[in-house]
Amino acid sequence: HELRTPLANIKAYAETLAISDVIAVEQQKEFCNTINAEATRLARLIDDLLSISSMEVGSLSVDCQRTEVDRLLKEVVGRVRPTMDMKQQKFHALIDPKIPEMKLDKDKFSTILVNLLGNAAKYTPEKGNVTMRAACDETHLTIEVEDTGVGITAAELPRIFEKFFRSSDPRVQCENGTGLGLSLTQELVRLHGGLLNVRSQPNQGTCFTIRIPL
């Protein structure tokens, strides 16, 4: 379903552009934007599937290099903020300026944060709150991603890191998703030597906590 829906949309809009003699320029732009968005969605899904396949055969790895964590976090904030702005959500990014350089796989660590912040935005209603806190102590970097979204029941909480698992909550089911993001995120955190924990209350929100050794 997750593959067929964007493919069907791309095909429909492309055929309309091909066979219609007269389409207003603004409508043409709208169609092209939709095709581009659906292609991006497909590419993201394929990347997740490839990463999950690598994870299953044990070939998923990280290439850690000295990284300015403060800069990386600010880059991620810039990438996800437009999504939250579209839903008029209040996004608070509280980043400790004293976080030192660390050895991280920049691309994969960005994937971790984008997945968690993207989920927070997706499952938080309009005008809700999403907060990212990043700080370090003597031994660990700790990042929290907290939202005021739909939350997760106690019965489903132990399953959220399973591949392809999605909550039965109708508010979750109505959103696009494959159930792969959190499974991949947990594995990427593990490959960085860290831990990913979660706490949640239905209808109140969810908080994911990452702890990575310095």
Side-chain angles (χ1 to χ4, degrees), residues 116-198:
L116 293 179
L117 288 166
N119 277 355
K122 185 188 294 186
Y123 301 119
T124 296
E126 290 189 1
K127 300 184 180 179
N129 290 283
V130 177
T131 302
M132 182 182 77
R133 305 179 192 89
C136 63
D137 56 25
E138 293 179 356
T139 59
H140 286 78
L141 167 68
T142 301
I143 299 175
E144 291 184 336
V145 175
E146 186 170 12
D147 62 56
T148 56
V150 300
I152 307 162
T153 65
E156 292 186 332
L157 200 59
R159 300 192 59 199
I160 62 169
F161 296 116
E162 294 178 11
K163 291 189 294 292
F164 301 108
F165 175 77
R166 299 199 73 210
S167 171
S168 59
D169 190 316
R171 294 169 295 180
V172 174
Q173 291 293 323
C174 72
E175 297 284 352
N176 293 321
T178 61
L180 293 173
L182 286 178
S183 179
L184 176 60
T185 298
Q186 184 186 50
E187 179 64 8
L188 291 177
V189 171
R190 187 191 69 79
L191 289 172
H192 279 88
L195 293 172
L196 176 62
N197 296 310
V198 59

Coordinates of all heavy atoms in Angstrom, one line a residue, residues 116-198:
L116 N 12.6 10.9 14.6 CA 11.9 11.1 15.9 C 11.2 12.4 15.8 O 10.0 12.5 16.3 CB 13.0 11.2 17.0 CG 13.6 9.8 17.4 CD1 14.6 10.0 18.5 CD2 12.6 8.8 17.7
L117 N 11.8 13.5 15.3 CA 11.1 14.8 15.2 C 10.0 14.7 14.2 O 8.9 15.3 14.4 CB 12.1 15.9 14.8 CG 13.1 16.3 15.9 CD1 14.2 17.1 15.4 CD2 12.4 17.0 17.0
G118 N 10.2 14.0 13.1 CA 9.1 13.8 12.1 C 7.9 13.1 12.7 O 6.7 13.5 12.4
N119 N 8.1 12.1 13.5 CA 7.0 11.4 14.1 C 6.3 12.3 15.1 O 5.1 12.3 15.2 CB 7.5 10.1 14.8 CG 7.7 8.9 13.9 OD1 7.3 9.0 12.8 ND2 8.2 7.9 14.5
A120 N 7.1 13.1 15.8 CA 6.5 14.0 16.8 C 5.6 15.0 16.1 O 4.5 15.2 16.6 CB 7.6 14.7 17.6
A121 N 6.0 15.5 15.0 CA 5.2 16.5 14.2 C 3.9 15.8 13.7 O 2.8 16.3 13.7 CB 6.0 17.1 13.1
K122 N 4.2 14.6 13.1 CA 3.1 13.8 12.5 C 1.9 13.5 13.4 O 0.8 13.6 13.1 CB 3.6 12.6 11.8 CG 2.6 11.8 11.0 CD 3.2 10.4 10.6 CE 4.3 10.5 9.6 NZ 4.7 9.2 9.1
Y123 N 2.3 13.1 14.6 CA 1.3 12.6 15.6 C 0.9 13.6 16.7 O 0.3 13.2 17.6 CB 1.8 11.2 16.2 CG 2.0 10.2 15.1 CD1 3.3 9.6 14.9 CD2 1.0 9.8 14.3 CE1 3.5 8.7 13.9 CE2 1.2 8.9 13.3 CZ 2.5 8.3 13.1 OH 2.7 7.4 12.1
T124 N 1.3 14.8 16.4 CA 0.9 15.9 17.3 C -0.1 16.8 16.6 O 0.1 17.1 15.4 CB 2.1 16.8 17.8 OG1 2.9 15.9 18.6 CG2 1.6 17.9 18.6
P125 N -1.3 17.1 17.2 CA -2.3 17.9 16.4 C -1.8 19.3 16.1 O -0.8 19.8 16.7 CB -3.5 17.9 17.4 CG -2.9 17.6 18.7 CD -1.7 16.7 18.5
E126 N -2.5 20.0 15.3 CA -2.2 21.4 15.0 C -2.2 22.2 16.3 O -3.0 22.0 17.2 CB -3.3 22.0 14.0 CG -3.2 21.4 12.6 CD -4.0 22.1 11.6 OE1 -4.7 23.1 12.0 OE2 -4.1 21.7 10.5
K127 N -1.2 23.1 16.3 CA -1.0 24.1 17.4 C -0.5 23.3 18.7 O -0.5 23.9 19.8 CB -2.3 24.9 17.7 CG -2.7 25.7 16.5 CD -3.9 26.6 16.8 CE -4.3 27.4 15.6 NZ -5.5 28.3 15.9
G128 N -0.1 22.1 18.5 CA 0.5 21.4 19.7 C 2.0 21.8 19.9 O 2.5 22.7 19.2
N129 N 2.6 21.1 20.8 CA 4.0 21.4 21.1 C 5.0 20.3 20.8 O 4.6 19.1 21.1 CB 4.1 21.8 22.6 CG 3.5 23.1 22.9 OD1 4.0 24.2 22.7 ND2 2.3 23.0 23.5
V130 N 6.1 20.6 20.3 CA 7.2 19.6 20.1 C 8.5 20.3 20.7 O 8.8 21.4 20.4 CB 7.4 19.3 18.6 CG1 8.6 18.3 18.5 CG2 6.2 18.6 18.0
T131 N 9.2 19.5 21.5 CA 10.4 20.1 22.2 C 11.6 19.1 22.0 O 11.4 17.9 22.2 CB 10.2 20.3 23.7 OG1 9.1 21.2 23.9 CG2 11.4 20.9 24.3
M132 N 12.7 19.6 21.6 CA 13.9 18.9 21.5 C 14.9 19.5 22.5 O 15.2 20.7 22.5 CB 14.6 18.8 20.1 CG 15.8 18.0 20.1 SD 16.6 18.0 18.4 CE 17.4 19.6 18.5
R133 N 15.4 18.6 23.4 CA 16.4 19.1 24.4 C 17.7 18.3 24.2 O 17.7 17.1 24.0 CB 16.0 18.9 25.8 CG 14.6 19.5 26.2 CD 14.2 19.2 27.6 NE 12.8 19.6 27.9 CZ 11.8 18.8 27.7 NH1 12.0 17.5 27.3 NH2 10.6 19.2 27.9
A134 N 18.8 19.0 24.1 CA 20.1 18.3 23.9 C 21.1 18.9 24.9 O 21.3 20.1 25.0 CB 20.6 18.5 22.5
A135 N 21.7 18.0 25.7 CA 22.7 18.4 26.7 C 23.6 17.3 27.0 O 23.4 16.1 26.6 CB 22.0 18.9 28.0
C136 N 24.7 17.6 27.7 CA 25.7 16.5 28.0 C 26.2 16.6 29.4 O 26.2 17.7 30.0 CB 26.9 16.5 27.0 SG 27.9 18.0 27.0
D137 N 26.5 15.5 30.0 CA 27.2 15.5 31.3 C 28.6 15.0 31.0 O 29.1 15.1 29.9 CB 26.5 14.6 32.3 CG 26.2 13.2 31.8 OD1 27.0 12.7 30.9 OD2 25.3 12.5 32.3
E138 N 29.3 14.5 32.0 CA 30.7 14.1 31.9 C 30.9 12.9 31.0 O 32.0 12.7 30.4 CB 31.3 13.8 33.3 CG 31.4 15.1 34.1 CD 32.0 14.7 35.5 OE1 32.2 13.5 35.8 OE2 32.2 15.7 36.3
T139 N 29.8 12.1 30.8 CA 30.0 10.8 30.1 C 29.1 10.6 28.9 O 29.4 9.9 28.0 CB 29.7 9.6 31.0 OG1 28.4 9.7 31.6 CG2 30.7 9.6 32.2
H140 N 27.9 11.3 28.8 CA 27.0 11.0 27.8 C 26.4 12.3 27.2 O 26.2 13.3 27.9 CB 25.8 10.2 28.3 CG 26.2 8.8 28.6 ND1 26.9 8.4 29.7 CD2 25.9 7.6 27.8 CE1 27.1 7.0 29.6 NE2 26.5 6.6 28.5
L141 N 26.0 12.2 25.9 CA 25.1 13.2 25.3 C 23.7 12.6 25.4 O 23.4 11.5 25.1 CB 25.4 13.3 23.8 CG 24.4 14.0 22.9 CD1 24.3 15.5 23.3 CD2 24.7 13.9 21.4
T142 N 22.8 13.5 25.9 CA 21.4 13.1 26.0 C 20.5 14.0 25.2 O 20.6 15.2 25.3 CB 20.9 13.2 27.5 OG1 21.7 12.3 28.3 CG2 19.4 12.8 27.7
I143 N 19.7 13.4 24.4 CA 18.7 14.2 23.5 C 17.3 13.7 23.8 O 17.1 12.4 23.7 CB 19.1 14.0 22.0 CG1 20.5 14.5 21.7 CG2 18.0 14.8 21.2 CD1 20.9 14.3 20.3
E144 N 16.4 14.6 24.1 CA 15.0 14.2 24.3 C 14.2 14.9 23.2 O 14.4 16.0 22.9 CB 14.5 14.7 25.7 CG 15.1 14.0 26.8 CD 14.5 14.4 28.2 OE1 14.0 15.6 28.2 OE2 14.6 13.7 29.1
V145 N 13.2 14.1 22.7 CA 12.2 14.6 21.7 C 10.9 14.3 22.4 O 10.4 13.2 22.5 CB 12.3 13.9 20.4 CG1 11.2 14.4 19.4 CG2 13.7 14.2 19.7
E146 N 10.2 15.4 22.8 CA 8.9 15.3 23.5 C 7.8 16.0 22.7 O 8.1 17.1 22.2 CB 9.1 15.9 24.9 CG 7.9 15.7 25.8 CD 8.2 16.0 27.2 OE1 9.2 16.7 27.5 OE2 7.3 15.7 28.1
D147 N 6.6 15.4 22.7 CA 5.5 16.1 22.0 C 4.3 16.0 22.9 O 4.2 15.4 24.0 CB 5.3 15.4 20.7 CG 4.9 13.9 20.8 OD1 3.9 13.6 21.5 OD2 5.5 13.0 20.2
T148 N 3.2 16.7 22.4 CA 1.9 16.7 23.1 C 0.9 16.0 22.2 O -0.2 16.5 22.0 CB 1.5 18.1 23.4 OG1 1.5 18.9 22.2 CG2 2.4 18.8 24.4
G149 N 1.3 14.9 21.6 CA 0.5 14.2 20.6 C -0.4 13.2 21.2 O -0.8 13.2 22.3
V150 N -0.7 12.2 20.3 CA -1.8 11.2 20.6 C -1.3 10.3 21.7 O -2.1 9.7 22.4 CB -2.2 10.4 19.4 CG1 -2.8 11.4 18.3 CG2 -1.0 9.6 18.8
G151 N 0.0 10.1 21.9 CA 0.5 9.2 22.9 C 0.4 7.7 22.5 O -0.2 7.4 21.4
I152 N 0.9 6.8 23.3 CA 0.9 5.4 23.0 C 0.4 4.7 24.3 O 0.8 5.0 25.4 CB 2.3 4.9 22.7 CG1 3.0 5.8 21.6 CG2 2.4 3.4 22.4 CD1 4.5 5.7 21.6
T153 N -0.5 3.7 24.1 CA -1.0 2.9 25.2 C 0.0 2.0 25.9 O 1.0 1.7 25.2 CB -2.2 2.1 24.8 OG1 -1.8 1.0 23.9 CG2 -3.3 2.9 24.1
A154 N -0.2 1.7 27.1 CA 0.7 0.8 27.8 C 0.8 -0.6 27.1 O 1.9 -1.2 27.1 CB 0.3 0.6 29.3
A155 N -0.3 -1.0 26.5 CA -0.3 -2.3 25.8 C 0.6 -2.3 24.6 O 1.2 -3.3 24.2 CB -1.7 -2.7 25.5
E156 N 0.6 -1.2 23.9 CA 1.3 -1.1 22.6 C 2.8 -0.6 22.8 O 3.6 -0.8 21.9 CB 0.6 -0.2 21.6 CG -0.7 -0.7 21.2 CD -1.4 0.1 20.1 OE1 -1.2 1.3 20.1 OE2 -2.1 -0.5 19.3
L157 N 3.1 0.0 23.9 CA 4.4 0.6 24.1 C 5.5 -0.4 23.9 O 6.5 0.0 23.2 CB 4.5 1.3 25.4 CG 5.6 2.4 25.6 CD1 5.4 3.5 24.6 CD2 5.5 2.9 27.0
P158 N 5.4 -1.6 24.4 CA 6.6 -2.5 24.2 C 6.8 -3.0 22.8 O 7.8 -3.5 22.4 CB 6.1 -3.8 25.1 CG 5.1 -3.2 26.0 CD 4.4 -2.2 25.3
R159 N 5.8 -2.7 21.8 CA 5.9 -3.2 20.5 C 6.4 -2.1 19.5 O 6.6 -2.4 18.3 CB 4.6 -3.7 20.0 CG 4.1 -4.9 20.9 CD 2.9 -5.5 20.2 NE 3.3 -6.0 18.8 CZ 2.4 -6.3 17.9 NH1 1.1 -6.1 18.1 NH2 2.8 -6.8 16.7
I160 N 6.6 -0.9 19.9 CA 6.7 0.2 18.9 C 8.0 0.1 18.1 O 8.2 0.7 17.1 CB 6.6 1.6 19.6 CG1 7.7 1.8 20.6 CG2 5.2 1.8 20.2 CD1 7.8 3.3 21.1
F161 N 9.0 -0.6 18.6 CA 10.3 -0.8 17.9 C 10.3 -2.0 17.0 O 11.3 -2.3 16.4 CB 11.5 -0.8 18.9 CG 11.6 0.4 19.6 CD1 11.5 0.5 21.0 CD2 12.0 1.6 19.0 CE1 11.7 1.6 21.7 CE2 12.1 2.8 19.7 CZ 12.0 2.8 21.1
E162 N 9.2 -2.8 17.0 CA 9.1 -3.9 16.1 C 8.9 -3.4 14.6 O 8.2 -2.4 14.3 CB 7.9 -4.8 16.4 CG 8.0 -5.5 17.8 CD 6.7 -6.3 18.1 OE1 5.9 -6.5 17.2 OE2 6.6 -6.7 19.3
K163 N 9.5 -4.1 13.7 CA 9.4 -3.8 12.3 C 7.9 -3.9 11.8 O 7.3 -4.9 12.1 CB 10.3 -4.7 11.4 CG 11.8 -4.4 11.6 CD 12.6 -5.2 10.5 CE 12.5 -6.7 10.7 NZ 13.2 -7.1 11.9
F164 N 7.5 -2.9 11.1 CA 6.1 -2.9 10.5 C 5.0 -2.7 11.5 O 3.8 -2.7 11.1 CB 5.8 -4.1 9.6 CG 6.8 -4.3 8.5 CD1 7.8 -5.3 8.6 CD2 6.8 -3.4 7.4 CE1 8.7 -5.5 7.5 CE2 7.8 -3.6 6.4 CZ 8.7 -4.6 6.5
F165 N 5.3 -2.6 12.8 CA 4.2 -2.3 13.8 C 3.7 -0.9 13.7 O 4.5 0.0 13.7 CB 4.7 -2.6 15.2 CG 3.7 -2.3 16.3 CD1 2.6 -3.1 16.5 CD2 3.7 -1.1 17.0 CE1 1.6 -2.8 17.4 CE2 2.7 -0.8 17.9 CZ 1.7 -1.7 18.1
R166 N 2.4 -0.8 13.7 CA 1.8 0.5 13.8 C 0.6 0.5 14.8 O -0.1 -0.5 14.8 CB 1.2 1.0 12.4 CG 2.3 1.1 11.3 CD 1.9 2.0 10.2 NE 1.8 3.4 10.6 CZ 0.9 4.3 10.1 NH1 0.0 3.9 9.2 NH2 0.9 5.5 10.4
S167 N 0.4 1.5 15.5 CA -0.6 1.6 16.5 C -2.0 1.4 15.8 O -2.2 1.8 14.7 CB -0.6 2.9 17.2 OG -1.7 3.1 18.1
S168 N -2.9 0.8 16.6 CA -4.3 0.6 16.1 C -5.1 1.9 16.3 O -6.2 2.0 15.8 CB -5.0 -0.5 16.9 OG -5.0 -0.3 18.3
D169 N -4.5 2.9 16.9 CA -5.3 4.2 17.1 C -5.6 4.8 15.8 O -4.8 4.9 14.9 CB -4.3 5.2 17.9 CG -5.1 6.4 18.3 OD1 -5.8 7.0 17.5 OD2 -4.8 6.8 19.5
P170 N -6.9 5.1 15.5 CA -7.3 5.6 14.2 C -6.6 6.9 13.8 O -6.4 7.2 12.7 CB -8.8 5.9 14.5 CG -9.2 5.1 15.6 CD -8.0 4.9 16.5
R171 N -6.1 7.7 14.8 CA -5.4 8.9 14.5 C -4.0 8.6 14.0 O -3.4 9.4 13.3 CB -5.3 9.8 15.8 CG -6.6 10.3 16.3 CD -6.5 10.9 17.7 NE -6.1 9.9 18.7 CZ -5.9 10.1 20.0 NH1 -6.1 11.4 20.4 NH2 -5.6 9.2 20.8
V172 N -3.5 7.4 14.3 CA -2.2 7.0 13.7 C -2.4 6.3 12.4 O -1.7 6.6 11.4 CB -1.5 6.0 14.7 CG1 -0.2 5.4 14.0 CG2 -1.2 6.7 16.0
Q173 N -3.5 5.5 12.3 CA -3.7 4.8 11.0 C -4.0 5.7 9.9 O -3.8 5.4 8.7 CB -4.9 3.8 11.3 CG -4.6 2.7 12.2 CD -3.6 1.7 11.5 OE1 -3.6 1.5 10.3 NE2 -2.7 1.2 12.4
C174 N -4.6 6.9 10.2 CA -4.9 7.8 9.1 C -3.7 8.6 8.5 O -3.8 9.3 7.5 CB -6.0 8.8 9.5 SG -5.4 10.1 10.7
E175 N -2.5 8.4 9.2 CA -1.3 9.0 8.7 C -0.5 8.0 7.9 O -0.6 6.8 8.1 CB -0.4 9.5 9.9 CG -1.1 10.6 10.7 CD -1.1 12.0 10.1 OE1 -0.4 12.1 9.0 OE2 -1.7 12.9 10.6
N176 N 0.2 8.5 6.9 CA 1.1 7.6 6.1 C 2.2 7.1 7.0 O 2.8 7.9 7.8 CB 1.7 8.4 4.9 CG 0.6 8.8 3.9 OD1 -0.3 8.0 3.6 ND2 0.8 9.9 3.3
G177 N 2.6 5.9 6.8 CA 3.6 5.3 7.6 C 3.8 3.8 7.3 O 2.9 3.1 6.8
T178 N 5.0 3.3 7.5 CA 5.3 1.9 7.2 C 5.6 1.1 8.5 O 5.6 -0.1 8.4 CB 6.6 1.8 6.4 OG1 7.7 2.4 7.0 CG2 6.3 2.5 5.0
G179 N 5.8 1.8 9.6 CA 6.2 1.0 10.8 C 7.7 0.6 10.8 O 8.1 -0.3 11.6
L180 N 8.5 1.2 9.9 CA 9.9 0.9 9.8 C 10.8 1.9 10.6 O 11.9 1.6 11.0 CB 10.4 0.8 8.4 CG 9.8 -0.3 7.6 CD1 10.2 -0.2 6.1 CD2 10.3 -1.7 8.1
G181 N 10.3 3.2 10.7 CA 11.2 4.2 11.2 C 11.8 4.0 12.5 O 13.0 4.2 12.8
L182 N 11.0 3.6 13.5 CA 11.5 3.5 14.9 C 12.4 2.3 15.0 O 13.3 2.3 15.8 CB 10.3 3.4 15.9 CG 9.5 4.7 16.1 CD1 8.4 4.4 17.1 CD2 10.5 5.7 16.7
S183 N 12.1 1.2 14.3 CA 13.0 0.0 14.3 C 14.4 0.4 13.8 O 15.4 0.1 14.4 CB 12.4 -1.1 13.4 OG 13.2 -2.2 13.4
L184 N 14.4 1.2 12.7 CA 15.7 1.6 12.1 C 16.4 2.6 13.1 O 17.6 2.5 13.3 CB 15.4 2.3 10.8 CG 16.7 2.9 10.1 CD1 17.7 1.9 9.8 CD2 16.3 3.6 8.8
T185 N 15.6 3.5 13.7 CA 16.1 4.5 14.6 C 16.8 3.8 15.8 O 17.9 4.2 16.2 CB 15.0 5.4 15.1 OG1 14.5 6.2 13.9 CG2 15.6 6.4 16.1
Q186 N 16.1 2.8 16.4 CA 16.7 2.1 17.5 C 18.0 1.4 17.1 O 19.0 1.5 17.9 CB 15.7 1.1 18.0 CG 16.2 0.4 19.3 CD 15.3 -0.7 19.7 OE1 14.9 -1.6 18.9 NE2 14.9 -0.7 21.0
E187 N 18.1 0.8 16.0 CA 19.3 0.2 15.5 C 20.4 1.2 15.3 O 21.6 0.9 15.7 CB 19.1 -0.7 14.3 CG 20.3 -1.4 13.7 CD 20.8 -2.5 14.7 OE1 20.1 -2.8 15.7 OE2 21.9 -3.0 14.4
L188 N 20.1 2.3 14.7 CA 21.2 3.3 14.5 C 21.7 3.9 15.8 O 22.9 4.1 15.9 CB 20.6 4.4 13.6 CG 20.3 4.1 12.2 CD1 19.7 5.2 11.4 CD2 21.6 3.6 11.4
V189 N 20.8 4.0 16.8 CA 21.3 4.5 18.1 C 22.2 3.4 18.7 O 23.3 3.7 19.3 CB 20.1 4.8 19.0 CG1 20.6 5.0 20.5 CG2 19.3 6.0 18.6
R190 N 21.8 2.1 18.6 CA 22.6 1.1 19.1 C 24.0 1.0 18.5 O 25.0 0.8 19.2 CB 21.9 -0.3 18.9 CG 22.6 -1.5 19.6 CD 22.1 -2.8 19.1 NE 22.4 -3.1 17.7 CZ 23.5 -3.6 17.3 NH1 24.5 -3.8 18.2 NH2 23.8 -3.8 16.1
L191 N 24.1 1.2 17.2 CA 25.3 1.2 16.4 C 26.3 2.4 16.9 O 27.5 2.3 16.7 CB 25.1 1.3 14.9 CG 24.5 0.0 14.3 CD1 24.2 0.3 12.9 CD2 25.5 -1.2 14.4
H192 N 25.7 3.4 17.4 CA 26.5 4.5 18.0 C 26.8 4.2 19.5 O 27.4 5.1 20.1 CB 25.7 5.8 17.9 CG 25.8 6.5 16.5 ND1 24.9 6.2 15.5 CD2 26.7 7.4 16.0 CE1 25.2 6.9 14.5 NE2 26.3 7.6 14.7
G193 N 26.5 3.0 20.0 CA 26.8 2.7 21.3 C 25.9 3.2 22.3 O 26.1 3.2 23.6
G194 N 24.7 3.7 21.9 CA 23.7 4.3 22.8 C 22.5 3.5 23.0 O 22.3 2.4 22.6
L195 N 21.6 4.2 23.8 CA 20.3 3.6 24.1 C 19.2 4.5 23.7 O 19.3 5.8 23.8 CB 20.2 3.3 25.6 CG 21.2 2.2 26.2 CD1 21.1 2.2 27.7 CD2 20.8 0.8 25.6
L196 N 18.0 4.0 23.3 CA 16.8 4.7 23.0 C 15.7 4.3 23.9 O 15.3 3.1 23.9 CB 16.5 4.6 21.5 CG 15.2 5.2 21.1 CD1 15.3 6.8 21.2 CD2 14.9 4.9 19.6
N197 N 15.2 5.2 24.7 CA 14.1 4.8 25.6 C 12.9 5.7 25.3 O 13.0 6.8 24.6 CB 14.5 5.1 27.1 CG 15.6 4.1 27.5 OD1 15.5 2.9 27.3 ND2 16.6 4.7 28.1
V198 N 11.7 5.3 25.8 CA 10.5 6.0 25.5 C 9.5 5.9 26.7 O 9.5 4.9 27.4 CB 9.8 5.4 24.2 CG1 9.4 4.0 24.4 CG2 8.5 6.2 23.9

